[in-house]
Amino acid sequence: MNQRLESAIVAIAAGIAAVAGSYAVAGFTPGFVVAPVSDFVVAMTPDAVVTWSIQTLGSLGQQLGLLLALVLTVGLFALATAVGRVLADRFAVPASPVAAVACVGVALALTGTITSTLVAGASAGLVVALAGLGRSGSESGTTSRSRRHVLQAVAGAVGVAGAGVVLGSRRSADVPESDGPVAADVQSLLADAEEQSLDVAGIEPLVSEDFYQVDINNVDPTVDADDWTLSVTGAVDEELEFDYDDLTELESEHRFVTLRCVGESLNGKKMDTALWTGVPVMDLLDEADLNASENCCVMLRAADDFFEEFPLSALQNGFLAFEMNGEPLPRGHGYPVRALIPGHWGEINVKWLTEIEVLEEEVDGYWEKRGWHGTGPVETVAKLHAVNHLDSGEIQVGGHAYAGTRGIQRVEVSTDGGETWDDATLSEPLPSEDAWRQWEYTYEADQPHEVVVRATDGEGDLQPEEESDSFPSGPTGWVSRRVEP
Ligand SMILES: Nc1nc2c(c(=O)[nH]1)N[C@H]1C(S)=C(S)[C@@H](COP(=O)(O)O)O[C@H]1N2
Ligand SMILES: [Mo]
């Protein structure tokens, strides 16, 4: 085998092992060597490309970004290994420790985390050592021997990668340790919600089983509740700082809240509901702390450097949540504390919240800098997610309707493309000021037809028919779908 090719394969195998070794000990956390590279990729991606990718690729764009970061990181370690081997050759010292040290250097520069760094270096060193196993003298051996060396290196990398995936995925576990049994009042609220859910196959129950996740990170921040603080800064008389105990010692409430992402498609699935436990923002802050009369707005900032700005008046109805469905907030949903702002698009419901900055003038948030207008109240929507052909021969359609704090009064269904309308059955409203309702409609049909659905909010306003894209201020229009009998 060509010597150059052999070196390249060994270097790449070592690169894969280094990344896998780091994953084994760090999991999908900021200590994983790919995390900073992924942040870099995200930061280097032009805003126009980010916006385009959200609209056309959705979460796929984020996955492609992660894949690119993975490939780049393997490349970095492969390069370090190759340089290490060349240097070792030149100074006639063993290659594997030199390559390991080179990889340790790269990992340390990337993460600054000791264990992740050492294991990355050791994994790469192991693969280089395997490639040298049975090598006699410094002469490269016969073709078959060199092939054997490459195979040893590749086998080593595959082994480390396998172990890394198994160990690492345990560490990435999304849910922090639960701190005991689910409280009785939460259990009974969840049981009621389950009871109230309509019997329609193919739609989420009133409390979502699979809550969507949207954020700017490929690797979510890991924030320790013990280290967490929330500071109140900006146009305040005196800056304040609270810790996790300050928050959780206050009397907590349970609220059913629906979130919906402004960037989703009209009939998309980025709308979900959970029972959140937390404290009203104003129980923690004082009216006086905010100088409410002089100030217009607030900027919420987070551990992932995300920031969103919106009117102070919206924050005053806000909620600081630290539990979701009776468990500590999952890491992906903002552990340890997130904001919930009633009736507004998802993006201002800031996760991993660290700072509330009070402002005298409006400024743009993260998404507004990129052209979105997602800080206001949600649009009214009725979604059509289930079309079921029942044993009775009838057709059942169903979905969810949501209008933020306006509530949902009515959902109508047309089975003739919008000519005539009939009322759908609605689930009983949850005890909430900001939650969706399910709807269901069963009918007979023997011809292909167009089903259209529209909601009326609690103020009596019909959902706008005019269609618009999600960019920049959320999708509008009536959902319709062709149904075969
Ligand atoms: N810190 C932080 N908070 C964030 C985001 C983010 O990227 N970082 N994304 C926002 C967006 S765009 C939405 S739609 C909601 C989604 O909340 P979820 O992931 O819990 O469903 O979180 C919001 N809060
Ligand atoms: Mo969003």
Side-chain angles (χ1 to χ4, degrees), residues 183-252:
D185 45 355
V186 170
Q187 265 177 19
S188 89
L189 284 164
L190 290 173
D192 291 349
E194 197 181 323
E195 181 98 340
Q196 266 172 252
S197 297
L198 298 179
D199 184 20
V200 180
I203 63 172
E204 284 280 8
L206 285 171
V207 170
S208 300
E209 278 162 358
D210 183 15
F211 203 107
Y212 83 93
Q213 188 184 332
V214 171
D215 50 62
I216 58 171
N217 317 290
N218 275 319
V219 181
D220 292 330
T222 36
V223 183
D224 209 329
D226 294 333
D227 301 333
W228 177 83
T229 57
L230 174 65
S231 46
V232 182
T233 64
V236 286
D237 293 335
E238 197 189 342
E239 301 206 340
L240 304 169
E241 191 174 273
F242 302 97
D243 63 20
Y244 193 69
D245 289 339
D246 295 330
L247 186 68
T248 49
E249 274 164 9
L250 295 175
E251 198 176 331
S252 58

Side-chain angles (χ1 to χ4, degrees), residues 246-381:
D246 295 330
L247 186 68
T248 49
E249 274 164 9
L250 295 175
E251 198 176 331
S252 58
E253 291 178 12
H254 311 299
R255 291 190 186 179
F256 289 100
V257 174
T258 300
L259 291 183
R260 183 183 179 203
C261 184
V262 70
E264 73 155 359
S265 58
L266 179 62
N267 199 34
K269 298 229 165 137
K270 292 189 172 115
M271 178 167 101
D272 278 298
T273 302
L275 177 61
W276 310 84
T277 300
V279 171
V281 174
M282 282 304 143
D283 286 2
L284 189 69
L285 311 185
D286 216 319
E287 207 58 46
D289 297 335
L290 297 177
N291 291 338
S293 57
E294 290 119 73
N295 299 316
C296 69
C297 335
V298 285
M299 179 75 85
L300 301 194
R301 296 183 191 279
D304 57 348
D305 290 334
F306 183 71
F307 53 97
E308 279 299 343
E309 186 253 33
F310 55 93
L312 185 55
S313 55
L315 181 76
Q316 282 164 325
N317 304 318
F319 195 60
L320 299 172
F322 47 83
E323 282 181 15
M324 184 180 185
N325 302 330
E327 302 281 350
L329 269 191
R331 196 175 131 220
H333 293 294
Y335 183 84
V337 179
R338 81 174 302 164
L340 293 173
I341 310 298
H344 287 67
W345 291 112
E347 65 173 51
I348 66 170
N349 293 262
V350 174
K351 307 190 271 189
W352 311 287
L353 181 68
T354 56
E355 184 183 342
I356 300 175
E357 186 189 357
V358 181
L359 302 172
E360 288 168 331
E361 273 169 39
E362 287 181 37
V363 286
D364 281 338
Y366 183 94
W367 286 117
E368 286 51 53
K369 280 183 188 290
R370 289 155 177 83
W372 290 84
H373 301 292
T375 64
V378 291
E379 294 281 351
T380 300
V381 71

Side-chain angles (χ1 to χ4, degrees), residues 399-466:
H400 300 87
Y402 177 55
T405 50
R406 298 184 299 281
I408 289 291
Q409 191 174 86
R410 180 181 198 191
V411 171
E412 295 164 283
V413 178
S414 168
T415 55
D416 54 11
E419 295 284 312
T420 58
W421 296 87
D422 208 356
D423 276 300
T425 304
L426 289 175
S427 59
E428 286 302 310
L430 288 166
S432 162
E433 278 158 21
D434 183 22
W436 65 11
R437 294 176 79 170
Q438 294 170 312
W439 64 268
E440 178 272 347
Y441 185 71
T442 301
Y443 61 100
E444 284 171 16
D446 49 18
Q447 296 291 318
H449 55 282
E450 184 87 1
V451 176
V452 191
V453 53
R454 64 185 190 191
T456 300
D457 73 17
E459 294 167 1
D461 290 323
L462 182 65
Q463 174 184 344
E465 182 179 6
E466 195 195 331

